[in-house]
Amino acid sequence: MSKQFDLLVVGGGPGGYVAAIRAAQLGFNVACCESNAYADPKGEPRLGGTCLNVGCIPSKALLHTSHLFEEAGHSFAEQGIGVGTPVIEVGKMLARKNGIVKQLTSGIKGLFKKNKVTLLNGHGSFVGRKQVAGGEVWQMQVGDDVVEAKEVIVATGSKARHLSGVPVDNEIVCDNVGALDIAAVPKKLAVIGAGVIGLEMGSVWRRLGAEVTILEALPDFLALADVDVAREAAKLFAKQGLKIILGIEIGDVKVSQKGVSIDYTDKDGSEHRLDADRLIVSIGRIPNTDGLAAEKVGLQLNERGQVEVDSHCRTNLPGVWAIGDVVAGPMLAHKAMEEGVMVAELMAGQAGHCNFETIPWVIYTSPEIAWVGKTEQQLKAAGTAYKAGKIPFAANGRALGMGDPSGFVKILACAETDRILGVHVIGANASELISEGVVAMEFAAASEDLARICHAHPTLSEVVHEAALACDKRPLHF
């Protein structure tokens, strides 16, 4: 006999597990199916998807360890702390990372039990639509079972895009999975792709002693970020020793047991060869829709393989929704979570909502980079009249005390209404500071509103305050 639920969530990543929990809180009988792609030692599926298992969480653990290592080797002495020459034990670093992953993924299972969400082991795919006494339900194949549900949320996430003809073994050639498990610090590390993953993983292994070269096909560095932020980041990364080459075209990539050689052509047409011990390929991600049997039920996909949805994540099929990396928009865990909550609340007849204009972006390099809203180049392209306030962390007592005064805060506001249009931060704790910009924009705040709010002293947030004042050309400390 088929298992029957009000809702089946296909995928237990950030979007899926949050959608399942919120729907259960709203009174639905919910199941969430997850394959064993990230199975634990017992062969049971680990929840959390890419983010918790091989993405956001483990990478931040490695970034923190490598940051401390670099601090000990380069920054402690100037503060009067003598520790000798630090030594990294990569095995212990990886074990700590794995422990954090286990703790958090197990925690989601605990949340499922608390909220009475049924976890099903197996990949979900569409079988068809069935008429029952109470109406119609969707039939889904999950492992060896057929599951029936009135509503389905597709939350199958994404996977790394690989270079054509270059197999990823996660030993010599790595994607995001292998980049988190390199057993020893390579002498030379090549990275293809100067996006978030490439910069973060390149930063980890550079801090630990690798000579890192990042090859990027695009002519502009961090094209999604504000031009001032991208320019500052490029300058600081170069100073750290992170070599970034833009506008290249990859040629032959040859892999051996000892390493890899990459032929490429630079922006001027000159040919080069880069030899390295390891290669990380980080050229984007593609949606996981190939196993859904979408064609069987007519679920509409676009040319990129993403599920087509409206602004509320409804697909073209009744009772079928899709969220997260599997739909258009930034592939960010927190965006998927917000969509999951929105869909659950819409199913319950509530006014579920997700403001895609105020989703923050963060890159966890050092310094961190974060932004929300429009960039200066976007405002110029749209012909929007704006004013800007920009204040460096070098003018901030807390940043100087921390020994990390690099970067700045930049606020863009409408020239006519003063409404904040974008907030851009490059500097220490940018990932935390950006939330003030998100809240301000959600409440349609003006730069004057932030300028009139008392910020604690001494804090890094005072730079946000000063940038708001600078929009009106009246900063007090710069």
Side-chain angles (χ1 to χ4, degrees), residues 64 106 231 259 412 444 447 457:
H64 181 70
S106 299
R231 190 179 296 119
L412 302 168
S447 69
H457 174 76

Side-chain angles (χ1 to χ4, degrees), residues 40 75 91 115 143 153 195 276 466 476:
D40 63 18
S75 301
N115 290 281
I153 298 177
E466 289 284 331
L476 299 171

Side-chain angles (χ1 to χ4, degrees), residues 14-64:
Y17 82 74
V18 166
I21 290 171
R22 184 65 186 121
Q25 291 173 344
L26 292 167
F28 292 97
N29 178 20
V30 182
C32 177
C33 65
E34 178 58 86
S35 68
N36 60 357
Y38 306 116
D40 63 18
K42 296 180 181 179
E44 296 180 359
R46 273 185 171 158
L47 295 166
T50 296
C51 174
L52 267 70
N53 288 279
V54 291
C56 316
I57 299 303
S59 65
K60 301 312 161 287
L62 297 188
L63 280 160
H64 181 70

Side-chain angles (χ1 to χ4, degrees), residues 251-273:
D252 289 336
V253 178
K254 296 179 181 178
V255 182
S256 68
Q257 291 182 342
K258 294 183 179 180
V260 59
S261 65
I262 305 155
D263 292 334
Y264 69 93
T265 304
D266 66 21
K267 61 183 179 181
D268 298 319
S270 299
E271 296 182 351
H272 303 268
R273 171 167 291 179

Side-chain angles (χ1 to χ4, degrees), residues 334-476:
H334 45 280
K335 177 253 195 185
M337 292 180 185
E338 288 300 301
E339 289 175 331
V341 170
M342 174 182 69
V343 168
E345 293 179 348
L346 288 171
M347 285 172 49
Q350 296 184 5
H353 173 68
C354 182
N355 186 355
F356 295 102
E357 297 299 316
T358 56
I359 294 173
W361 291 71
V362 182
I363 305 175
Y364 295 86
T365 46
S366 181
E368 292 183 348
I369 299 168
W371 71 89
V372 62
K374 302 296 185 184
T375 63
E376 189 164 356
Q377 56 265 38
Q378 286 175 323
L379 295 178
K380 286 180 178 178
T384 303
Y386 66 94
K387 52 186 178 178
K390 180 179 171 184
I391 299 293
F393 281 100
N396 179 262
R398 182 69 186 279
L400 290 167
M402 292 169 58
D404 193 1
S406 60
F408 57 81
V409 175
K410 179 179 178 179
I411 295 178
L412 302 168
C414 177
E416 297 176 3
T417 66
D418 195 36
R419 183 171 179 172
I420 296 172
L421 302 175
V423 179
H424 306 270
V425 186
I426 175 169
N429 292 1
S431 58
E432 306 292 343
L433 293 172
I434 199 60
S435 292
E436 184 172 6
V438 175
V439 171
M441 290 184 64
E442 276 287 349
F443 284 89
S447 69
E448 177 75 7
D449 292 321
L450 280 187
R452 293 288 177 184
I453 294 173
C454 181
H455 288 66
H457 174 76
T459 62
L460 298 174
S461 69
E462 288 179 286
V463 185
V464 178
H465 181 231
E466 289 284 331
L469 287 166
C471 285
D472 196 35
K473 295 183 172 56
R474 54 189 178 96
L476 299 171

